[in-house]
Amino acid sequence: MDRLQRNLQSFFHNRWLVFVAAMWMQSWAGIGYLFGSISPVIKSSMGYNQRQIASLGVAKDLGDSVGFLAGTLCEILPLWAALLIGALQNLIGYGLVWLVVTRQVPVLPLWVMCILIFVGNNGETYFNTAALVSCVQNFPKSRGPVVGILKGFAGLSGAILTQLYAMIHIPNHAALIFMVAVGPTMVVMALMFIVRPVAGHRHVRPSDDYSFSFIYSVCLILAAYLLGVMLLEDLIDLSRTVITMFTLILILILLVPIAIPVLLTSSSEDPAATQECLLPENKKGGGSEEQAEVILSEVEDEKPKEVDSLPELERRKRIAQLQARLFQAAAEGAVRVRRKRGPRRGEDFTLLQALIKADFWLLFFSLLLGSGSGLTVIDNLGQMSQSLGYEDTHIFVSMISIWNFLGRIGGGYVSEIIVRNRAYPRPVALAVAQVLMALGHFCFAMAWPRAMYIGTLLIGLGYGAHWSIVPAAASELFGLKNFGALYNFLTVANPAGSVVFSGLIVSGMYDHEAEKQARNRHSSSAFLFGRMLNAASFGEEKTLKCEGAICFFLSSLLMSGFCVVAVILSMILVYRTKLVYASLYGNRESNHAKAVGHGSNAVPHAIDCLFRP
């Protein structure tokens, strides 16, 4: 009985259980990616034009990205309380939207609908913040893969919810809004006491690499399965029984990762033996984390400029030797390390300290241009596919969710290889993702045959990679201590880009082309009479529709140009942070070397001799 109780306690305090629960929660949290599916329902029911739909899209993006309140509450409240607030916001916001669309309550003005969309989607910021903060703290040495997987499941939630909706098969398309209101709320309330920090940095096991490989395998199987199912449903008229069977298999694949915490709990591996390997060398010797940070800053101050021009291996060796001697001398009291005035890149920044750094704004504007243009496609995907003659828009919404998922998984995995194996700045992976997006926007502009499929692939992969690379890079450059506040500020780039790109540029060009086509279809007098008649009944916008490649031609070219500018900003950031990443990852193995030299002459001797030509 005691053994069973210990196993249960170990299971519920296992960091892998938290990670799996966060994955499940995130698979329902990306409700904003379904806006491309629900916006045509709202547009037809409420009689909105494209500019009004774009306003709702901007409200959605603001709700999805303005997470200052969520970040603050996650710091002062238990995470379960913050998750409960987010779940209630989601239920109230989208629940009222569903009531309005189905005419169960009186029609509300556009500005009220924008507020409801904002409130409903803002619940997602609580889910994201709680999941990322808890899991990054539980896996501090694997932040790239963890962020990529969690953000990947958020991006995949659109395809998951679409498949569940296909199984339910309710003729009234407004039922999708009801599912968006109720589904995430129920899942989050069921998991809110599991997703929390559990001192996971003390639970390191040698099998962790295999566990991550297993999670990656499940992710790839899930993405391939969903893609295959979506294509089959688009090409073949499947029976209700087959669709139900496909959905049940999907749920089974989502449940498979729970095997990791179950097996780890039942294994006989002693966690105490693996806790020590995570501790830095200076902590084993009794040093403090703060002292380590100060000494690393001292190295930057003391080493001559010519060290940076040495070959990489030689530079790593000399910096590691100097660090070891500084640690030894400081531990013996032979040297008093002077205090630094403020944090340096790679150390813990507050939000205010980060806001005065050029690197932070380079990262912000690169994210604004890249993710903002991608979000514009996601918000207008229904209208883009309809303008090119596709009747079923759900297939493209589902496909971009899958590519978004793979982009997030792949972005975290590839960028982790870059920084760990090459000690090269993580933003270089961000620049590659933005090149893919520039090509995707160009495909949309050209409107070649099957361009919707190619453009959706490139935009989904590039956009998704942003949300695994940027949070990990921010935590590396500006620290983990205030990661919640830093992350939620960076996410403001999403709605900022959407306001300009979708709310002003794309929607304005779309309505302009739609009006031109309307004038060409009708005589001048009939058109004017129709405008007056429709204006009196508020029905003119309902028939305003653009068809053909011209609808999004110029706007897609502009988005492609913005992505090129984002690539330039990312490469500037790469150039500026080369030495930071070399310091963080380049001498990782060398830092474990034993300290040499001691006494009052240790530091002067190190500074005098190590860098002598």
Side-chain angles (χ1 to χ4, degrees), residues 106-146:
V107 175
L108 299 176
L110 177 64
W111 65 270
V112 178
M113 294 292 291
C114 289
I115 292 176
L116 293 179
I117 293 288
F118 173 87
V119 170
N121 230 65
N122 191 246
E124 184 180 339
T125 62
Y126 293 85
F127 311 154
N128 283 326
T129 303
L132 290 175
V133 168
S134 59
C135 290
V136 167
Q137 290 183 19
N138 289 336
F139 295 86
K141 299 299 181 182
S142 303
R143 65 190 75 178
V146 165

Side-chain angles (χ1 to χ4, degrees), residues 3 46 146 253 284 298 314 319 346 413 563:
R3 179 179 176 81
M46 305 296 292
V146 165
I253 295 174
K284 294 179 185 179
E298 190 79 4
E314 181 67 18
I319 291 177
Y413 180 77
C563 287

